[in-house]
Amino acid sequence: MGSRHDHGSGGPAAGGRSPLLRDDFQYIERPALEAVTAEEWEILGRQRNAYLAERRADQVLRMFETLREQPSFGYEINMFRHGLQAASLMLRDGHDEETVVVALLHDFAYDFCVETHGEAAAKLLGPFCSERNEFLLRAHQDFLTVHCPHHHACDPMERERWRGHPHFEWVAQFVERYDQTTITAVTPELPLEAFRPLVHRFFAAPVTRR
């Protein structure tokens, strides 16, 4: 199964192996997945769980932080500040930590999959949050159209396809109070550092859905 180490802070040399995250991890040296033994899959599973527990929150925060310097396409603020403002207002209003994190990250995928950014956020965050917040992530963009009466391409009835869903009113409230209003440079916003511990606790929670 090879050496347990090759652990280091740098990246892999040309043709070399990527460094292991921890000194107590070990490489599984097989030419293809079909050659990995049952024992080795157990090892990989344990190491993968430890890897994700240690790195997931920071990886997500780094991904969100890449939006910090993005330009705007017309709004007074970019998507990074939009997330900060939504989360700041929800924290001010006494919402629980999970919901604040969901507000912070609900539009993280807007730049690279605008049409399905809600689904992308639900895939990332949904396994760690309540059913109502998973639905919020998945459906919130359909609820925005009712607040865009002068947009030529918006159908104000878009959200009606969700009418009758048990969390319809919750998403409608979120969009009205915290999503459609957080587009101005004068709305108060806390720095990302204020939310970092919340994000770590969010991803440390047991996975609720697969």
Side-chain angles (χ1 to χ4, degrees), residues 40 49 64 76 84 167 188 194 202:
E40 290 168 342
N49 289 340
F64 179 64
E76 291 183 16
L84 289 179
H167 303 302
F202 177 89

Side-chain angles (χ1 to χ4, degrees), residues 16-155:
R17 297 184 293 191
S18 297
L20 293 169
L21 176 66
R22 291 178 6 189
D23 286 331
D24 61 341
F25 281 7
Q26 63 188 76
Y27 290 103
I28 302 301
E29 297 177 327
R30 298 294 182 184
L33 291 178
E34 62 189 10
V36 177
T37 68
E39 179 188 2
E40 290 168 342
W41 280 120
E42 290 292 328
I43 293 169
L44 284 170
R46 289 195 300 271
Q47 293 180 178
R48 174 181 177 273
N49 289 340
Y51 175 96
L52 292 174
E54 183 170 332
R55 292 180 58 83
R56 193 189 321 244
D58 284 332
Q59 293 281 48
V60 171
L61 284 164
R62 278 193 289 270
M63 178 173 58
F64 179 64
E65 201 162 9
T66 62
L67 304 177
R68 184 192 295 271
E69 303 302 327
Q70 75 171 167
S72 167
F73 55 85
Y75 293 120
E76 291 183 16
I77 59 172
N78 60 20
M79 286 298 171
F80 178 78
R81 293 181 62 192
H82 171 63
L84 289 179
Q85 289 185 6
S88 296
L89 293 180
M90 297 201 94
L91 191 64
R92 179 202 66 186
D93 289 351
H95 287 277
D96 60 88
E97 285 192 3
E98 176 195 298
T99 302
V100 171
V101 171
V102 165
L104 178 73
L105 301 173
H106 74 282
D107 277 345
F108 87 96
Y110 189 90
D111 267 18
F112 53 87
C113 56
V114 59
E115 297 83 2
T116 57
H117 71 275
E119 290 283 353
K123 290 291 187 183
L124 176 66
L125 306 177
F128 298 89
C129 64
S130 63
E131 183 179 321
R132 76 170 194 158
N133 281 332
E134 190 277 338
F135 178 66
L136 183 156
L137 292 165
R138 181 159 43 92
H140 74 273
Q141 62 191 102
D142 293 339
F143 283 68
L144 277 169
T145 56
V146 74
H147 299 288
C148 306
H150 306 297
H151 192 302
H152 71 282
C154 279
D155 176 5

Side-chain angles (χ1 to χ4, degrees), residues 129-199:
C129 64
S130 63
E131 183 179 321
R132 76 170 194 158
N133 281 332
E134 190 277 338
F135 178 66
L136 183 156
L137 292 165
R138 181 159 43 92
H140 74 273
Q141 62 191 102
D142 293 339
F143 283 68
L144 277 169
T145 56
V146 74
H147 299 288
C148 306
H150 306 297
H151 192 302
H152 71 282
C154 279
D155 176 5
M157 302 299 289
E158 183 71 22
R159 74 179 188 176
E160 291 305 307
R161 70 190 185 99
W162 300 111
R163 179 72 67 177
H165 191 283
H167 303 302
F168 182 95
E169 293 301 330
W170 163 237
V171 182
Q173 178 190 109
F174 167 79
V175 170
E176 180 179 4
R177 296 183 183 179
Y178 305 109
D179 198 5
Q180 65 115 4
T181 59
T182 47
I183 60 171
T184 171
V186 299
T187 299
E189 60 193 57
L190 295 169
L192 181 58
E193 288 306 311
F195 302 106
R196 195 175 295 276
L198 282 66
V199 174

